[in-house]
Amino acid sequence: MAATGSEKQGTKAFYVTTPIYYVNDAPHLGHAYTTVAGDVLTRWHRQRGEKVWYLTGTDEHGQKIMRTAEANDVTPQAWCDKLVEEAWKPLWEHLNIANDDFIRTTQKRHTDRVQEFVQDLYDKDEIYKGGYEGPYCVGCEEFKLPGDLVEAEDGTKLCPVHKRPVEILKEENYFFKLSAYGPKLLEFYEANPGFIQPESARNEVVNFVKQGLDDLSISRSTFDWGIPVPWDEKHVIYVWIDALLNYATAVGYNENPAKFEETFPADVHLIGKDILRFHAVIWPAMLMAQGLPVPGRVAANGWLMVGGEKMSKSNLTGIKPQDLTSHFGVDAYRWYFLRAIAFGQDGSFSWEDFTARYTSELANDYGNLASRVAAMVGKYFGGELPASTADGDAEKAVQDGLAAAVATADRKIGEELDFQAGILAIFDFVKQVNGYITEQEPWKVAKDDSEEGRARLATILYTAAESLRAVAVLLNPIMPETSQALWDSLGAEASLGTLASQPVQDAATWGQLPAGATVTKGAVLFPRLEEPKKD
């Protein structure tokens, strides 16, 4: 997405990242949930007029990728290339994700810089050689603490995330002196209470670090699909060290100092809660060891649940986003998960809930409002927006409601990452405008052909259309396609410019849509749903 002309050059970008996703399979709703959240957040900040950088990508090394490729009788690189080009990138394009970069951990711009970073730590005596034996989950690519494991009915020890048996590995590895950074991390958490969100995630990390940290194995020697350790090529760099560094390598670490300085560190790392410790413990410790600034915030979203199970391919609850967009549309998809689930908490998905919310809030409340207003301006004023003549108490209440909605949405979405509350504030305003039209009954006022009657009708319809102008601006980061359709219907571009250039924080400034704008009734924003096809 192109930057707006109001961006301030030379200032640090608002830098947001998703996790880089494993390419052992095609993306599912859980991956898309985090990526859409990041897209909405960065679009919101762009529409504030800020400089923004949004990064996503794929994690392509490690034992899990190697085994998946072998099972499909291809090389790991060929497997990664196929999945990235045929599944991951096309999905982000389909979902209208406006990322600025897509990093792949097999790219030379990444692998060279990872080797340099690790070599620097080794030269600083932050890394030493040792041995390790313990339970390892290939799905997580992580050594597990015995206390983290769950026990099956037959006594087998299972990974708590994947519910699969762990493997006992014994290797000669290189270790990062993570244990030395426990006190520094606790001091940092205390000084920066908003670093980890939500509060439950922060408490988990603080308690974990207080128990004492073990040094971290940062290499593997029993397989070769990874970045070679520069001083000992019999080892490859542990996939999580490799993966975390994407947030630095993608923005110019050791390669483009100007880009790095104006972008790094990330203001927000959006992650799933199952990778919280990597981002809130290991990553800041690595940066501290290297003398680099730590991120502004690590925000952990919950799991999407289907039938009480975390959504993933391994437990057969994975659902393709296209299964839903083909029925509800892309904009409704982008809206639904952030509207239905409080970010940071687990949430259950059901087809029935999506259908009910779509029908009630999108089709009936929002879409019907847009259609009614355009139809009435067309019927009573020939499609030319009339001027408001005298705002009364009812109009002032609408204006006050809009101001409150803008303030709440800007704070909740732009600052607090409470997407649900921000969206609800916007849709509460939509309900208020619907109520205003119901109370004012413009279809009855239209029967009064007097000058006072025509003036009153003009005020009602201008108030409704101007409210929709603001709604289009506020919903543009969330539902860009339908917001553009509404913007076009209101004839706003001719006088106000592009929708993307409208500052969200100024959306409540009343009277922006000029009288005389050509209002047209376009296609229905949210059509009635057809019955889904049954297999």
Side-chain angles (χ1 to χ4, degrees):
M1 187 169 81
T4 64
S6 58
E7 287 180 356
K8 298 177 181 178
Q9 299 302 314
T11 58
K12 183 189 176 305
F14 181 71
Y15 178 27
V16 177
T17 73
T18 71
I20 50 170
Y21 302 108
Y22 282 128
V23 289
N24 58 309
D25 213 327
H28 58 60
L29 296 186
H31 304 117
Y33 175 55
T34 309
T35 309
V36 168
D39 188 64
V40 170
L41 178 62
T42 48
R43 282 177 182 267
W44 192 275
H45 279 262
R46 283 192 197 282
Q47 210 158 330
R48 280 178 166 182
E50 299 173 18
K51 182 188 295 185
V52 171
W53 198 256
Y54 183 34
L55 174 69
T56 189
T58 45
D59 185 1
E60 303 182 14
H61 289 130
Q63 195 169 13
K64 179 163 60 173
I65 303 297
M66 186 186 73
R67 289 184 180 179
T68 302
E70 289 173 349
N72 286 273
D73 199 28
V74 295
T75 67
Q77 188 65 65
W79 176 258
C80 293
D81 291 345
K82 178 180 175 64
L83 264 290
V84 168
E85 297 302 327
E86 296 181 9
W88 289 87
K89 285 184 175 180
L91 178 60
W92 298 159
E93 182 176 353
H94 174 64
L95 294 179
N96 219 341
I97 304 299
N99 53 294
D100 296 281
D101 194 5
F102 189 101
I103 185 75
R104 297 181 58 183
T105 58
T106 52
Q107 292 172 329
K108 186 174 174 61
R109 64 166 172 156
H110 175 76
T111 58
D112 286 356
R113 304 291 86 78
V114 169
Q115 287 187 312
E116 292 165 4
F117 188 100
V118 173
Q119 182 70 58
D120 285 347
L121 290 184
Y122 184 71
D123 293 342
K124 291 176 181 177
D125 198 32
E126 294 282 355
I127 293 174
Y128 65 92
K129 196 172 189 178
Y132 191 85
E133 181 177 7
Y136 190 84
C137 172
V138 175
C140 294
E141 295 283 12
E142 178 187 16
F143 280 105
K144 297 291 184 180
L145 297 174
D148 289 339
L149 302 178
V150 296
E151 190 168 306
E153 292 182 0
D154 62 1
T156 303
K157 299 295 185 180
L158 307 177
C159 166
V161 176
H162 292 92
K163 304 297 191 296
R164 291 183 173 182
V166 293
E167 301 177 15
I168 302 300
L169 297 185
K170 183 176 182 179
E171 286 185 353
E172 179 185 71
N173 294 333
Y174 287 94
F175 288 80
F176 167 55
K177 296 178 180 177
L178 180 63
S179 59
Y181 288 89
K184 296 178 184 178
L185 288 168
L186 290 173
E187 181 181 351
F188 175 74
Y189 302 150
E190 181 70 24
N192 300 275
F195 172 65
I196 304 168
Q197 295 181 344
E199 185 70 18
S200 58
R202 182 182 186 277
N203 293 338
E204 174 194 327
V205 169
V206 170
N207 291 336
F208 175 74
V209 175
K210 280 182 177 179
Q211 295 172 15
L213 297 175
D214 294 328
D215 289 343
L216 176 70
S217 171
I218 60 101
S219 73
R220 298 291 307 276
S221 58
T222 55
F223 63 92
D224 62 0
W225 180 238
I227 302 173
V229 171
W231 63 88
D232 187 346
E233 296 203 349
K234 294 192 297 292
H235 293 249
V236 294
I237 296 169
Y238 174 43
V239 65
W240 266 106
I241 300 298
D242 166 3
L244 289 165
L245 281 166
N246 93 90
Y247 305 129
T249 63
V251 293
Y253 171 74
N254 264 17
E255 186 173 29
N256 186 338
K259 172 72 174 175
F260 190 69
E261 183 177 355
E262 70 181 16
T263 312
F264 195 83
D267 292 87
V268 180
H269 286 309
L270 296 175
I271 63 166
K273 66 179 182 179
D274 50 334
I275 54 175
L276 175 63
R277 292 179 187 175
F278 295 105
H279 287 81
V281 179
I282 296 172
W283 179 225
M286 289 166 57
L287 294 172
M288 289 175 179
Q290 196 69 296
L292 293 172
V294 299
R297 192 174 354 175
V298 174
N301 61 255
W303 287 338
L304 291 184
M305 316 291 282
V306 174
E309 290 287 333
K310 177 195 173 190
M311 190 172 296
S312 68
K313 290 293 182 183
S314 60
N315 59 19
L316 302 180
T317 56
I319 299 174
K320 290 189 294 187
Q322 294 91 332
D323 295 340
L324 299 181
T325 60
S326 63
H327 184 66
F328 295 99
V330 170
D331 268 13
Y333 176 96
R334 289 170 58 95
W335 165 86
Y336 169 73
F337 289 97
L338 297 181
R339 159 64 183 90
I341 299 169
F343 196 80
Q345 300 179 17
D346 293 346
S348 294
F349 162 77
S350 75
W351 193 281
E352 294 77 13
D353 183 61
F354 198 159
T355 300
R357 293 183 189 276
Y358 176 101
T359 301
S360 173
E361 298 180 40
L362 294 185
N364 293 348
D365 288 349
Y366 178 33
N368 190 45
L369 173 63
S371 294
R372 291 169 74 199
V373 172
M376 286 190 287
V377 173
K379 180 177 181 179
Y380 301 130
F381 292 94
E384 183 176 304
L385 183 67
S388 177
T389 57
D391 292 342
D393 290 344
E395 288 70 46
K396 288 184 173 60
V398 172
Q399 295 169 27
D400 290 344
L402 175 59
V406 171
T408 299
D410 194 30
R411 183 178 74 255
K412 291 296 183 181
I413 296 175
E415 303 299 332
E416 299 177 14
L417 277 60
D418 188 348
F419 301 102
Q420 184 184 63
I423 292 170
L424 284 174
I426 299 167
F427 275 79
D428 281 346
F429 176 68
V430 169
K431 289 179 183 294
Q432 182 181 359
V433 178
N434 273 313
Y436 166 81
I437 291 177
T438 299
E439 291 171 1
Q440 300 306 313
E441 299 180 313
W443 48 89
K444 288 187 178 179
V445 176
K447 295 177 181 178
D448 182 355
D449 288 332
S450 70
E451 185 176 336
E452 292 80 5
R454 293 290 291 173
R456 182 62 195 151
L457 181 61
T459 296
I460 295 169
L461 294 184
Y462 181 85
T463 298
E466 172 67 353
S467 297
L468 284 171
R469 185 271 313 161
V471 170
V473 173
L474 293 172
L475 289 179
N476 189 45
I478 302 156
M479 297 189 286
E481 291 182 0
T482 49
S483 296
Q484 184 63 54
L486 177 56
W487 193 251
D488 293 341
S489 170
L490 294 170
E493 190 138 344
S495 54
L496 300 179
T498 63
L499 178 55
S501 67
Q502 310 301 309
V504 288
Q505 68 272 27
D506 297 339
T509 301
W510 194 257
Q512 294 184 48
L513 192 62
T518 301
V519 177
T520 55
K521 189 171 185 242
V524 175
L525 295 183
F526 300 99
R528 184 175 64 85
L529 295 173
E530 299 294 334
E531 285 295 320
K533 294 179 180 179
K534 305 291 186 182
D535 292 334

